[in-house]
DNA sequence: CAACCTGTTCGCCA
DNA sequence: ATGGCGAACAGGTT
């Protein structure tokens, strides 16, 4: 489910626990979601630590605790964050629950395509520090985007938009929204995009990312009514501009919807 | 019962 | 070494 703006929405769900110490940690270290992470160190180190703050970058989240503890979360396809009462009883896919005196901070991910990372280091760990600037940030420049497209000449633009090294935070619905606004057909190889098209691609990537953060980020509201978003899942979906039926196909293995009239 | 799913990651091949 | 493709991951829903 979660792309850039939804990730930021979920991150803020744990704000309720800011400043409070962790009293108890619930997790099952056998689960795939913890692959590569020392869960015993995590569970032990977080006890009595206070949640100091959090950030999201693209689809990644970082939770900063006292004692130089850093918790990284990725929501995968089905992950969500929520809070519960102090006596909350963990449900089936609640892989990590941080209990505080007054509440529980819950990470649930049914399909476990997400991930939990942990580090106890003076500075933010490399897996956070080395992330490229996300699509909504000022660091996402035309030059950076061009360099990425030039590295993937043969790849269709739709699957290119889903690569998190180049378009951090963009997911399936955002990619379709961006291409629709930019007037670019999803199967076009990156190398075929001219200067004007690249300019539009860059502009609309930033627009969709920023608008999504502003409109969806605060309360998980739906995007504006005129967005392709509302049309792309329904069988009868139409182009918001032309009212013509949308085309749909799997491109790069992912369901893609586009308007044949305005995307060339 | 089959197909599908707002996301990565791996193995294989060019 | 790098890029591109398709399957795999786990567990739901339609």
């Amino acid at each position: 489910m979660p792309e850039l703006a939804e990730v930021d929405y979920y991150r803020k769900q744990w704000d309720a626990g800011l400043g409070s110490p962790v009293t108890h940690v619930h997790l099952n270290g056998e689960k795939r979601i913890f692959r590569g992470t020392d869960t015993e160190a995590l569970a032990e180190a977080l006890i009595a630590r206070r949640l100091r703050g959090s950030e999201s970058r693209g689809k990644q989240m970082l939770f900063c605790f006292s004692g130089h503890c850093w918790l990284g979360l990725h929501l995968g396809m089905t992950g969500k964050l929520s809070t519960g009462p102090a006596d909350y009883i963990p449900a089936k896919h609640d892989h990590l629950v941080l209990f505080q005196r007054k509440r529980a901070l819950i990470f649930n991910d049914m399909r476990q395509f997400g991930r939990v990372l942990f580090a106890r280091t003076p500075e933010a760990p490399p897996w956070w520090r080395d992330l490229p600037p996300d699509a909504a940030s000022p660091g996402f420049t035309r030059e950076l985007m061009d360099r990425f497209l030039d590295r993937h000449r043969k790849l269709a633009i739709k699957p290119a938009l889903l690569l998190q090294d180049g378009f951090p935070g963009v997911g399936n619905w955002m990619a379709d929204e961006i291409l629709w606004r930019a007037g670019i057909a999803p199967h076009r190889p990156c190398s075929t995009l001219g200067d004007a098209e690249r300019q539009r691609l860059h502009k609309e990537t930033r627009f969709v990312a920023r608008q999504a953060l502003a409109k969806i980020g605060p309360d998980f509201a739906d995007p504006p009514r005129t967005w392709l978003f509302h049309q792309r899942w329904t069988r009868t979906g139409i182009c918001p501009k032309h009212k013509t039926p949308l085309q749909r196909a799997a491109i790069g293995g992912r369901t893609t919807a586009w308007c044949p009239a305005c995307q060339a």
Side-chain angles (χ1 to χ4, degrees), chain A residues 1 59 74 233 254-255:
Chain A
M1 197 151 151
K59 297 176 189 172
H74 190 286
W233 293 121
R254 308 297 304 280
T255 300

PDB file of all heavy atoms in Angstrom, chain A residues 1 59 74 233 254-255, chain B residues 4-9:
ATOM      1  N   MET A   1       0.798  -1.212   0.000  1.00  0.00           N
ATOM      2  CA  MET A   1       0.000   0.000   0.000  1.00  0.00           C
ATOM      3  C   MET A   1       0.842   1.279   0.000  1.00  0.00           C
ATOM      4  O   MET A   1       0.592   2.183  -0.761  1.00  0.00           O
ATOM      5  CB  MET A   1      -0.899   0.004   1.233  1.00  0.00           C
ATOM      6  CG  MET A   1      -2.022   0.974   1.108  1.00  0.00           C
ATOM      7  SD  MET A   1      -3.418   0.417   2.054  1.00  0.00           S
ATOM      8  CE  MET A   1      -4.180   1.953   2.460  1.00  0.00           C
ATOM      9  N   LYS A  59      10.378   5.816   0.779  1.00  0.00           N
ATOM     10  CA  LYS A  59       9.558   4.828   1.481  1.00  0.00           C
ATOM     11  C   LYS A  59      10.220   4.342   2.758  1.00  0.00           C
ATOM     12  O   LYS A  59       9.735   3.409   3.392  1.00  0.00           O
ATOM     13  CB  LYS A  59       9.276   3.648   0.547  1.00  0.00           C
ATOM     14  CG  LYS A  59       8.475   4.039  -0.698  1.00  0.00           C
ATOM     15  CD  LYS A  59       8.303   2.875  -1.642  1.00  0.00           C
ATOM     16  CE  LYS A  59       7.707   3.357  -2.960  1.00  0.00           C
ATOM     17  NZ  LYS A  59       7.711   2.289  -3.967  1.00  0.00           N
ATOM     18  N   HIS A  74      10.609  -0.262   7.022  1.00  0.00           N
ATOM     19  CA  HIS A  74      10.097  -0.179   5.655  1.00  0.00           C
ATOM     20  C   HIS A  74       8.773  -0.918   5.642  1.00  0.00           C
ATOM     21  O   HIS A  74       8.667  -2.013   6.202  1.00  0.00           O
ATOM     22  CB  HIS A  74      11.081  -0.790   4.666  1.00  0.00           C
ATOM     23  CG  HIS A  74      10.713  -0.527   3.236  1.00  0.00           C
ATOM     24  ND1 HIS A  74       9.674  -1.186   2.623  1.00  0.00           N
ATOM     25  CD2 HIS A  74      11.204   0.330   2.321  1.00  0.00           C
ATOM     26  CE1 HIS A  74       9.561  -0.733   1.375  1.00  0.00           C
ATOM     27  NE2 HIS A  74      10.486   0.190   1.169  1.00  0.00           N
ATOM     28  N   TRP A 233      -7.971   2.067 -10.885  1.00  0.00           N
ATOM     29  CA  TRP A 233      -8.298   0.715 -10.398  1.00  0.00           C
ATOM     30  C   TRP A 233      -9.616   0.187 -10.937  1.00  0.00           C
ATOM     31  O   TRP A 233      -9.847  -1.007 -10.943  1.00  0.00           O
ATOM     32  CB  TRP A 233      -8.336   0.674  -8.873  1.00  0.00           C
ATOM     33  CG  TRP A 233      -6.984   0.883  -8.313  1.00  0.00           C
ATOM     34  CD1 TRP A 233      -6.601   1.875  -7.459  1.00  0.00           C
ATOM     35  CD2 TRP A 233      -5.813   0.123  -8.596  1.00  0.00           C
ATOM     36  NE1 TRP A 233      -5.255   1.769  -7.216  1.00  0.00           N
ATOM     37  CE2 TRP A 233      -4.762   0.700  -7.894  1.00  0.00           C
ATOM     38  CE3 TRP A 233      -5.552  -1.007  -9.391  1.00  0.00           C
ATOM     39  CZ2 TRP A 233      -3.465   0.191  -7.950  1.00  0.00           C
ATOM     40  CZ3 TRP A 233      -4.260  -1.498  -9.443  1.00  0.00           C
ATOM     41  CH2 TRP A 233      -3.248  -0.893  -8.724  1.00  0.00           C
ATOM     42  N   ARG A 254       4.062  -4.810 -13.711  1.00  0.00           N
ATOM     43  CA  ARG A 254       3.143  -4.112 -12.803  1.00  0.00           C
ATOM     44  C   ARG A 254       1.970  -3.534 -13.582  1.00  0.00           C
ATOM     45  O   ARG A 254       2.129  -3.010 -14.694  1.00  0.00           O
ATOM     46  CB  ARG A 254       3.860  -2.964 -12.072  1.00  0.00           C
ATOM     47  CG  ARG A 254       5.143  -3.367 -11.389  1.00  0.00           C
ATOM     48  CD  ARG A 254       4.939  -4.376 -10.289  1.00  0.00           C
ATOM     49  NE  ARG A 254       3.992  -3.909  -9.306  1.00  0.00           N
ATOM     50  CZ  ARG A 254       4.283  -3.050  -8.324  1.00  0.00           C
ATOM     51  NH1 ARG A 254       5.506  -2.588  -8.185  1.00  0.00           N
ATOM     52  NH2 ARG A 254       3.370  -2.665  -7.481  1.00  0.00           N
ATOM     53  N   THR A 255       0.792  -3.615 -12.982  1.00  0.00           N
ATOM     54  CA  THR A 255      -0.400  -3.056 -13.602  1.00  0.00           C
ATOM     55  C   THR A 255      -0.201  -1.566 -13.860  1.00  0.00           C
ATOM     56  O   THR A 255       0.219  -0.826 -12.978  1.00  0.00           O
ATOM     57  CB  THR A 255      -1.627  -3.249 -12.699  1.00  0.00           C
ATOM     58  OG1 THR A 255      -1.810  -4.647 -12.491  1.00  0.00           O
ATOM     59  CG2 THR A 255      -2.870  -2.665 -13.351  1.00  0.00           C
TER      60      THR A 255
ATOM     61  P    DC B   4      -4.169 -11.861 -13.570  1.00  0.00           P
ATOM     62  OP1  DC B   4      -4.566 -11.152 -14.806  1.00  0.00           O
ATOM     63  OP2  DC B   4      -2.890 -12.596 -13.481  1.00  0.00           O
ATOM     64  O5'  DC B   4      -4.233 -10.835 -12.357  1.00  0.00           O
ATOM     65  C5'  DC B   4      -5.482 -10.342 -11.889  1.00  0.00           C
ATOM     66  C4'  DC B   4      -5.281  -9.692 -10.545  1.00  0.00           C
ATOM     67  O4'  DC B   4      -5.275 -10.705  -9.513  1.00  0.00           O
ATOM     68  C3'  DC B   4      -3.934  -8.961 -10.429  1.00  0.00           C
ATOM     69  O3'  DC B   4      -4.139  -7.575 -10.240  1.00  0.00           O
ATOM     70  C2'  DC B   4      -3.244  -9.610  -9.251  1.00  0.00           C
ATOM     71  C1'  DC B   4      -4.366 -10.309  -8.510  1.00  0.00           C
ATOM     72  N1   DC B   4      -3.913 -11.513  -7.782  1.00  0.00           N
ATOM     73  C2   DC B   4      -4.207 -11.637  -6.424  1.00  0.00           C
ATOM     74  O2   DC B   4      -4.874 -10.748  -5.872  1.00  0.00           O
ATOM     75  N3   DC B   4      -3.771 -12.725  -5.742  1.00  0.00           N
ATOM     76  C4   DC B   4      -3.063 -13.665  -6.383  1.00  0.00           C
ATOM     77  N4   DC B   4      -2.652 -14.704  -5.667  1.00  0.00           N
ATOM     78  C5   DC B   4      -2.758 -13.560  -7.771  1.00  0.00           C
ATOM     79  C6   DC B   4      -3.196 -12.479  -8.432  1.00  0.00           C
ATOM     80  P    DC B   5      -2.858  -6.587 -10.491  1.00  0.00           P
ATOM     81  OP1  DC B   5      -3.354  -5.502 -11.353  1.00  0.00           O
ATOM     82  OP2  DC B   5      -1.667  -7.367 -10.886  1.00  0.00           O
ATOM     83  O5'  DC B   5      -2.513  -5.988  -9.059  1.00  0.00           O
ATOM     84  C5'  DC B   5      -3.534  -5.657  -8.108  1.00  0.00           C
ATOM     85  C4'  DC B   5      -2.888  -5.588  -6.747  1.00  0.00           C
ATOM     86  O4'  DC B   5      -2.969  -6.887  -6.133  1.00  0.00           O
ATOM     87  C3'  DC B   5      -1.394  -5.285  -6.799  1.00  0.00           C
ATOM     88  O3'  DC B   5      -1.195  -3.882  -6.660  1.00  0.00           O
ATOM     89  C2'  DC B   5      -0.813  -6.054  -5.632  1.00  0.00           C
ATOM     90  C1'  DC B   5      -1.893  -7.021  -5.238  1.00  0.00           C
ATOM     91  N1   DC B   5      -1.453  -8.444  -5.306  1.00  0.00           N
ATOM     92  C2   DC B   5      -1.474  -9.198  -4.143  1.00  0.00           C
ATOM     93  O2   DC B   5      -1.853  -8.676  -3.092  1.00  0.00           O
ATOM     94  N3   DC B   5      -1.066 -10.488  -4.188  1.00  0.00           N
ATOM     95  C4   DC B   5      -0.657 -11.006  -5.358  1.00  0.00           C
ATOM     96  N4   DC B   5      -0.268 -12.279  -5.361  1.00  0.00           N
ATOM     97  C5   DC B   5      -0.638 -10.239  -6.567  1.00  0.00           C
ATOM     98  C6   DC B   5      -1.034  -8.970  -6.501  1.00  0.00           C
ATOM     99  P    DT B   6      -0.128  -3.234  -7.580  1.00  0.00           P
ATOM    100  OP1  DT B   6      -0.933  -2.602  -8.614  1.00  0.00           O
ATOM    101  OP2  DT B   6       0.911  -4.175  -7.942  1.00  0.00           O
ATOM    102  O5'  DT B   6       0.650  -2.156  -6.705  1.00  0.00           O
ATOM    103  C5'  DT B   6      -0.006  -1.192  -6.038  1.00  0.00           C
ATOM    104  C4'  DT B   6       0.979  -0.128  -5.567  1.00  0.00           C
ATOM    105  O4'  DT B   6       0.157   0.973  -5.139  1.00  0.00           O
ATOM    106  C3'  DT B   6       1.780  -0.504  -4.319  1.00  0.00           C
ATOM    107  O3'  DT B   6       2.830   0.471  -4.167  1.00  0.00           O
ATOM    108  C2'  DT B   6       0.776  -0.295  -3.241  1.00  0.00           C
ATOM    109  C1'  DT B   6       0.200   1.035  -3.726  1.00  0.00           C
ATOM    110  N1   DT B   6      -1.162   1.285  -3.252  1.00  0.00           N
ATOM    111  C2   DT B   6      -1.324   2.260  -2.291  1.00  0.00           C
ATOM    112  O2   DT B   6      -0.398   2.889  -1.822  1.00  0.00           O
ATOM    113  N3   DT B   6      -2.622   2.455  -1.898  1.00  0.00           N
ATOM    114  C4   DT B   6      -3.750   1.799  -2.371  1.00  0.00           C
ATOM    115  O4   DT B   6      -4.857   2.073  -1.924  1.00  0.00           O
ATOM    116  C5   DT B   6      -3.507   0.792  -3.370  1.00  0.00           C
ATOM    117  C7   DT B   6      -4.653   0.003  -3.953  1.00  0.00           C
ATOM    118  C6   DT B   6      -2.251   0.585  -3.758  1.00  0.00           C
ATOM    119  P    DG B   7       4.303   0.055  -4.698  1.00  0.00           P
ATOM    120  OP1  DG B   7       5.233   1.169  -4.395  1.00  0.00           O
ATOM    121  OP2  DG B   7       4.124  -0.417  -6.076  1.00  0.00           O
ATOM    122  O5'  DG B   7       4.717  -1.195  -3.809  1.00  0.00           O
ATOM    123  C5'  DG B   7       4.982  -1.033  -2.455  1.00  0.00           C
ATOM    124  C4'  DG B   7       6.341  -1.623  -2.106  1.00  0.00           C
ATOM    125  O4'  DG B   7       6.277  -3.054  -2.263  1.00  0.00           O
ATOM    126  C3'  DG B   7       7.484  -1.142  -2.997  1.00  0.00           C
ATOM    127  O3'  DG B   7       8.597  -0.839  -2.162  1.00  0.00           O
ATOM    128  C2'  DG B   7       7.769  -2.313  -3.924  1.00  0.00           C
ATOM    129  C1'  DG B   7       7.331  -3.507  -3.081  1.00  0.00           C
ATOM    130  N9   DG B   7       6.814  -4.611  -3.861  1.00  0.00           N
ATOM    131  C8   DG B   7       5.927  -4.525  -4.912  1.00  0.00           C
ATOM    132  N7   DG B   7       5.629  -5.692  -5.415  1.00  0.00           N
ATOM    133  C5   DG B   7       6.371  -6.605  -4.644  1.00  0.00           C
ATOM    134  C6   DG B   7       6.452  -8.007  -4.707  1.00  0.00           C
ATOM    135  O6   DG B   7       5.872  -8.747  -5.496  1.00  0.00           O
ATOM    136  N1   DG B   7       7.313  -8.524  -3.748  1.00  0.00           N
ATOM    137  C2   DG B   7       7.991  -7.782  -2.827  1.00  0.00           C
ATOM    138  N2   DG B   7       8.770  -8.445  -1.977  1.00  0.00           N
ATOM    139  N3   DG B   7       7.922  -6.461  -2.751  1.00  0.00           N
ATOM    140  C4   DG B   7       7.097  -5.947  -3.680  1.00  0.00           C
ATOM    141  P    DT B   8      10.003  -0.260  -2.731  1.00  0.00           P
ATOM    142  OP1  DT B   8      10.757   0.284  -1.607  1.00  0.00           O
ATOM    143  OP2  DT B   8       9.634   0.585  -3.863  1.00  0.00           O
ATOM    144  O5'  DT B   8      10.760  -1.521  -3.286  1.00  0.00           O
ATOM    145  C5'  DT B   8      12.112  -1.745  -2.888  1.00  0.00           C
ATOM    146  C4'  DT B   8      12.175  -3.052  -2.115  1.00  0.00           C
ATOM    147  O4'  DT B   8      11.188  -3.967  -2.613  1.00  0.00           O
ATOM    148  C3'  DT B   8      13.517  -3.739  -2.273  1.00  0.00           C
ATOM    149  O3'  DT B   8      13.893  -4.287  -1.033  1.00  0.00           O
ATOM    150  C2'  DT B   8      13.257  -4.820  -3.309  1.00  0.00           C
ATOM    151  C1'  DT B   8      11.806  -5.173  -3.034  1.00  0.00           C
ATOM    152  N1   DT B   8      11.067  -5.688  -4.192  1.00  0.00           N
ATOM    153  C2   DT B   8      10.963  -7.047  -4.363  1.00  0.00           C
ATOM    154  O2   DT B   8      11.469  -7.848  -3.616  1.00  0.00           O
ATOM    155  N3   DT B   8      10.224  -7.442  -5.443  1.00  0.00           N
ATOM    156  C4   DT B   8       9.581  -6.637  -6.363  1.00  0.00           C
ATOM    157  O4   DT B   8       8.934  -7.112  -7.296  1.00  0.00           O
ATOM    158  C5   DT B   8       9.731  -5.220  -6.149  1.00  0.00           C
ATOM    159  C7   DT B   8       9.086  -4.266  -7.081  1.00  0.00           C
ATOM    160  C6   DT B   8      10.456  -4.815  -5.090  1.00  0.00           C
ATOM    161  P    DT B   9      15.466  -4.597  -0.742  1.00  0.00           P
ATOM    162  OP1  DT B   9      15.573  -4.786   0.715  1.00  0.00           O
ATOM    163  OP2  DT B   9      16.270  -3.580  -1.445  1.00  0.00           O
ATOM    164  O5'  DT B   9      15.732  -5.995  -1.457  1.00  0.00           O
ATOM    165  C5'  DT B   9      15.236  -7.182  -0.861  1.00  0.00           C
ATOM    166  C4'  DT B   9      15.583  -8.359  -1.744  1.00  0.00           C
ATOM    167  O4'  DT B   9      14.676  -8.419  -2.877  1.00  0.00           O
ATOM    168  C3'  DT B   9      16.996  -8.331  -2.341  1.00  0.00           C
ATOM    169  O3'  DT B   9      17.522  -9.629  -2.195  1.00  0.00           O
ATOM    170  C2'  DT B   9      16.757  -7.983  -3.802  1.00  0.00           C
ATOM    171  C1'  DT B   9      15.438  -8.704  -4.023  1.00  0.00           C
ATOM    172  N1   DT B   9      14.629  -8.283  -5.188  1.00  0.00           N
ATOM    173  C2   DT B   9      13.894  -9.249  -5.838  1.00  0.00           C
ATOM    174  O2   DT B   9      13.908 -10.413  -5.508  1.00  0.00           O
ATOM    175  N3   DT B   9      13.147  -8.786  -6.892  1.00  0.00           N
ATOM    176  C4   DT B   9      13.069  -7.484  -7.354  1.00  0.00           C
ATOM    177  O4   DT B   9      12.358  -7.213  -8.300  1.00  0.00           O
ATOM    178  C5   DT B   9      13.859  -6.525  -6.626  1.00  0.00           C
ATOM    179  C7   DT B   9      13.840  -5.100  -7.037  1.00  0.00           C
ATOM    180  C6   DT B   9      14.598  -6.965  -5.597  1.00  0.00           C
TER     181       DT B   9
END
